[in-house]
Amino acid sequence: MTVLEVVLGDITTQDVEAVVTAANESLLGGGGVDGAIHRAAGPELAVAGAAIAPCSAGDAKATGAFGLAPVRYVIHTVGPVWEGGTEGEAQVLASCYRRCLEVADVLGVGSIAFPSIATGVYGYPVEEAARIAVAAVRTARTTVGLIRFVAFDQGGHDALVGAVGEGVSG
Ligand code: APR
């Protein structure tokens, strides 16, 4: 049974086994959540990322978490750049969440924290991204026990809470 959680906070302070970063294909780090995670993990993260780069949009690759301990893994995923919704962005975004869980399952991860992938620099509309994120993890066959969505602002938090509440019968 997988538990879904939505919290408002900083993903670099979450006590989980794996943290997902919204990266770019180089896996060298950037701004936004990727920058925060690389700053917290330290320079080794970019070295480890470069060793397994490139990462295609919609795919996910894992490295160690270095200075982010007790987190064990950083799972790097590359979201779609929002181009209006006609370029397959929804499928790529759903794939990010699915592939992160597949990678987490291979690693035997019990708990994972996701940021709102693609909703910052990449411009994905927050509400639609939240619906895609929740639907993707709900339909994934995963052994991860705890999936925590970490929103950085109230709007993102409320969108995720709304998405989790949708489709819950009763
Ligand atoms: N904790 C949780 N969420 C955060 C944090 C944080 N410390 N910092 C930012 N966020 C949120 C943003 O508010 C946004 O909702 O992460 C979400 C994703 O935004 P970005 O980090 O801009 O990621 P994305 O839109 O996927 O763009 C990725 O930006 O930083 C570069 O290298 C990255 O090229 C890539 C692109």
Side-chain angles (χ1 to χ4, degrees), residues 9-12 22-24 29-36 79 115-123 150-153:
D10 182 341
I11 201 167
T12 65
N24 61 62
V33 69
D34 202 27
S116 303
I117 299 163
T119 61
V121 166
Y122 284 179
V150 183
F152 206 46
D153 55 57

Short mmCIF file of all heavy atoms in Angstrom, two decimals, residues 9-12 22-24 29-36 79 115-123 150-153, ligand 1:
data_model
loop_
_atom_site.label_atom_id
_atom_site.label_comp_id
_atom_site.label_asym_id
_atom_site.label_seq_id
_atom_site.Cartn_x
_atom_site.Cartn_y
_atom_site.Cartn_z
N GLY A 9 6.98 23.00 1.71
CA GLY A 9 8.29 23.12 2.33
C GLY A 9 9.43 23.03 1.34
O GLY A 9 9.24 23.21 0.13
N ASP A 10 10.59 22.75 1.88
CA ASP A 10 11.84 22.69 1.11
C ASP A 10 12.21 21.22 0.94
O ASP A 10 12.39 20.50 1.92
CB ASP A 10 12.93 23.43 1.90
CG ASP A 10 14.26 23.47 1.18
OD1 ASP A 10 14.47 22.64 0.26
OD2 ASP A 10 15.08 24.33 1.53
N ILE A 11 12.34 20.78 -0.29
CA ILE A 11 12.62 19.36 -0.54
C ILE A 11 13.98 18.95 0.01
O ILE A 11 14.21 17.77 0.31
CB ILE A 11 12.51 19.05 -2.05
CG1 ILE A 11 12.27 17.55 -2.27
CG2 ILE A 11 13.74 19.55 -2.82
CD1 ILE A 11 11.85 17.19 -3.67
N THR A 12 14.89 19.90 0.24
CA THR A 12 16.23 19.52 0.73
C THR A 12 16.23 19.21 2.23
O THR A 12 17.25 18.79 2.77
CB THR A 12 17.25 20.66 0.48
OG1 THR A 12 16.87 21.80 1.27
CG2 THR A 12 17.32 21.01 -0.99
N ALA A 22 14.39 18.19 -10.38
CA ALA A 22 13.94 18.59 -11.72
C ALA A 22 15.14 19.15 -12.46
O ALA A 22 15.47 20.33 -12.34
CB ALA A 22 12.83 19.62 -11.61
N ALA A 23 15.79 18.29 -13.19
CA ALA A 23 17.11 18.59 -13.76
C ALA A 23 17.01 19.03 -15.22
O ALA A 23 15.92 19.15 -15.78
CB ALA A 23 17.98 17.34 -13.65
N ASN A 24 18.16 19.24 -15.81
CA ASN A 24 18.24 19.35 -17.27
C ASN A 24 19.12 18.20 -17.74
O ASN A 24 19.70 17.49 -16.93
CB ASN A 24 18.81 20.72 -17.69
CG ASN A 24 20.20 20.93 -17.17
OD1 ASN A 24 21.14 20.18 -17.50
ND2 ASN A 24 20.37 21.91 -16.32
N GLY A 29 23.27 20.34 -12.72
CA GLY A 29 22.66 21.28 -11.79
C GLY A 29 22.24 22.54 -12.53
O GLY A 29 22.63 22.78 -13.67
N GLY A 30 21.43 23.33 -11.84
CA GLY A 30 20.92 24.55 -12.49
C GLY A 30 20.35 25.47 -11.43
O GLY A 30 20.96 25.62 -10.38
N GLY A 31 19.18 26.03 -11.71
CA GLY A 31 18.56 26.91 -10.72
C GLY A 31 17.46 26.15 -10.00
O GLY A 31 17.50 24.92 -9.91
N GLY A 32 16.49 26.87 -9.52
CA GLY A 32 15.31 26.26 -8.91
C GLY A 32 15.62 25.14 -7.95
O GLY A 32 16.59 25.19 -7.19
N VAL A 33 14.75 24.11 -8.01
CA VAL A 33 14.94 23.00 -7.07
C VAL A 33 16.24 22.25 -7.34
O VAL A 33 16.91 21.77 -6.42
CB VAL A 33 13.71 22.05 -7.11
CG1 VAL A 33 13.63 21.29 -8.42
CG2 VAL A 33 13.71 21.09 -5.93
N ASP A 34 16.63 22.19 -8.61
CA ASP A 34 17.89 21.51 -8.97
C ASP A 34 19.07 22.23 -8.29
O ASP A 34 19.96 21.59 -7.71
CB ASP A 34 18.05 21.57 -10.49
CG ASP A 34 18.97 20.51 -11.06
OD1 ASP A 34 19.11 19.44 -10.42
OD2 ASP A 34 19.55 20.75 -12.11
N GLY A 35 19.02 23.55 -8.32
CA GLY A 35 20.09 24.32 -7.68
C GLY A 35 20.11 24.10 -6.17
O GLY A 35 21.18 23.91 -5.57
N ALA A 36 18.93 24.06 -5.58
CA ALA A 36 18.85 23.86 -4.12
C ALA A 36 19.40 22.49 -3.72
O ALA A 36 20.15 22.36 -2.75
CB ALA A 36 17.40 24.01 -3.66
N GLY A 79 12.00 17.24 -16.96
CA GLY A 79 10.61 17.48 -17.35
C GLY A 79 10.52 18.11 -18.73
O GLY A 79 11.53 18.47 -19.33
N PRO A 115 9.47 17.13 -6.19
CA PRO A 115 9.06 18.52 -6.36
C PRO A 115 7.98 18.55 -7.45
O PRO A 115 7.67 17.53 -8.06
CB PRO A 115 10.35 19.18 -6.85
CG PRO A 115 10.98 18.12 -7.70
CD PRO A 115 10.64 16.80 -7.03
N SER A 116 7.46 19.74 -7.71
CA SER A 116 6.48 19.87 -8.81
C SER A 116 7.25 20.03 -10.12
O SER A 116 7.53 21.15 -10.57
CB SER A 116 5.58 21.08 -8.58
OG SER A 116 4.93 20.96 -7.33
N ILE A 117 7.60 18.93 -10.70
CA ILE A 117 8.45 18.90 -11.88
C ILE A 117 7.89 19.77 -13.01
O ILE A 117 6.69 19.74 -13.27
CB ILE A 117 8.62 17.43 -12.37
CG1 ILE A 117 9.27 16.59 -11.27
CG2 ILE A 117 9.45 17.36 -13.65
CD1 ILE A 117 9.10 15.10 -11.47
N ALA A 118 8.74 20.56 -13.62
CA ALA A 118 8.46 21.35 -14.83
C ALA A 118 7.61 22.59 -14.60
O ALA A 118 7.36 23.34 -15.56
CB ALA A 118 7.82 20.48 -15.93
N THR A 119 7.19 22.84 -13.36
CA THR A 119 6.27 23.97 -13.12
C THR A 119 7.00 25.28 -12.82
O THR A 119 6.36 26.30 -12.54
CB THR A 119 5.32 23.67 -11.95
OG1 THR A 119 6.11 23.48 -10.76
CG2 THR A 119 4.48 22.43 -12.22
N GLY A 120 8.30 25.27 -12.86
CA GLY A 120 9.06 26.51 -12.61
C GLY A 120 9.60 27.06 -13.91
O GLY A 120 8.86 27.54 -14.77
N VAL A 121 10.89 26.94 -14.09
CA VAL A 121 11.55 27.45 -15.32
C VAL A 121 10.88 26.90 -16.58
O VAL A 121 10.72 27.59 -17.58
CB VAL A 121 13.05 27.06 -15.30
CG1 VAL A 121 13.72 27.24 -16.65
CG2 VAL A 121 13.77 27.84 -14.23
N TYR A 122 10.44 25.63 -16.50
CA TYR A 122 9.88 25.01 -17.71
C TYR A 122 8.44 25.40 -17.97
O TYR A 122 7.86 25.03 -19.00
CB TYR A 122 10.05 23.49 -17.64
CG TYR A 122 11.46 22.99 -17.94
CD1 TYR A 122 11.78 21.65 -17.89
CD2 TYR A 122 12.49 23.89 -18.26
CE1 TYR A 122 13.07 21.19 -18.15
CE2 TYR A 122 13.78 23.45 -18.51
CZ TYR A 122 14.07 22.10 -18.47
OH TYR A 122 15.35 21.66 -18.72
N GLY A 123 7.83 26.12 -17.04
CA GLY A 123 6.56 26.79 -17.33
C GLY A 123 5.30 25.96 -17.38
O GLY A 123 4.26 26.44 -17.87
N VAL A 150 6.35 17.64 -2.45
CA VAL A 150 6.81 18.80 -1.68
C VAL A 150 6.61 20.06 -2.51
O VAL A 150 7.32 20.29 -3.50
CB VAL A 150 8.30 18.66 -1.29
CG1 VAL A 150 8.72 19.85 -0.42
CG2 VAL A 150 8.55 17.35 -0.54
N ALA A 151 5.61 20.85 -2.11
CA ALA A 151 5.32 22.10 -2.82
C ALA A 151 6.12 23.23 -2.17
O ALA A 151 6.29 23.25 -0.94
CB ALA A 151 3.82 22.41 -2.74
N PHE A 152 6.60 24.14 -3.00
CA PHE A 152 7.44 25.23 -2.49
C PHE A 152 6.62 26.48 -2.22
O PHE A 152 7.11 27.45 -1.64
CB PHE A 152 8.54 25.54 -3.51
CG PHE A 152 9.79 26.15 -2.91
CD1 PHE A 152 10.36 25.63 -1.76
CD2 PHE A 152 10.38 27.26 -3.52
CE1 PHE A 152 11.51 26.20 -1.23
CE2 PHE A 152 11.55 27.83 -2.98
CZ PHE A 152 12.11 27.29 -1.84
N ASP A 153 5.37 26.50 -2.72
CA ASP A 153 4.52 27.66 -2.47
C ASP A 153 3.09 27.19 -2.25
O ASP A 153 2.73 26.06 -2.60
CB ASP A 153 4.60 28.67 -3.63
CG ASP A 153 4.27 28.01 -4.96
OD1 ASP A 153 3.15 27.45 -5.08
OD2 ASP A 153 5.13 28.01 -5.85
N1 APR B 1 11.98 22.59 -2.59
C1 APR B 1 10.86 22.20 -3.26
N2 APR B 1 10.46 22.73 -4.41
C2 APR B 1 11.22 23.73 -4.92
C3 APR B 1 12.40 24.20 -4.29
C4 APR B 1 12.77 23.58 -3.08
N3 APR B 1 13.87 23.95 -2.41
N4 APR B 1 12.93 25.20 -5.07
C5 APR B 1 12.10 25.35 -6.12
N5 APR B 1 11.07 24.48 -6.04
C6 APR B 1 9.92 24.30 -6.94
C7 APR B 1 9.53 25.46 -7.80
O1 APR B 1 8.79 26.41 -7.05
C8 APR B 1 8.69 24.76 -8.84
O2 APR B 1 7.38 24.58 -8.35
O3 APR B 1 10.27 23.29 -7.87
C9 APR B 1 9.34 23.36 -8.95
C10 APR B 1 10.11 23.12 -10.24
O4 APR B 1 10.68 24.32 -10.69
P1 APR B 1 12.19 24.36 -11.29
O5 APR B 1 13.15 24.06 -10.23
O6 APR B 1 12.33 25.65 -12.04
O7 APR B 1 12.23 23.13 -12.32
P2 APR B 1 11.63 23.00 -13.79
O8 APR B 1 10.47 23.91 -14.03
O9 APR B 1 11.44 21.53 -14.01
O10 APR B 1 12.83 23.53 -14.71
C11 APR B 1 13.98 22.73 -14.79
O11 APR B 1 15.46 24.58 -14.37
O12 APR B 1 16.90 24.68 -12.60
C12 APR B 1 16.80 24.38 -13.94
O13 APR B 1 18.49 22.69 -14.28
C13 APR B 1 17.08 22.93 -14.23
O14 APR B 1 17.15 23.29 -16.58
C14 APR B 1 16.38 22.76 -15.53
C15 APR B 1 15.12 23.59 -15.33
#
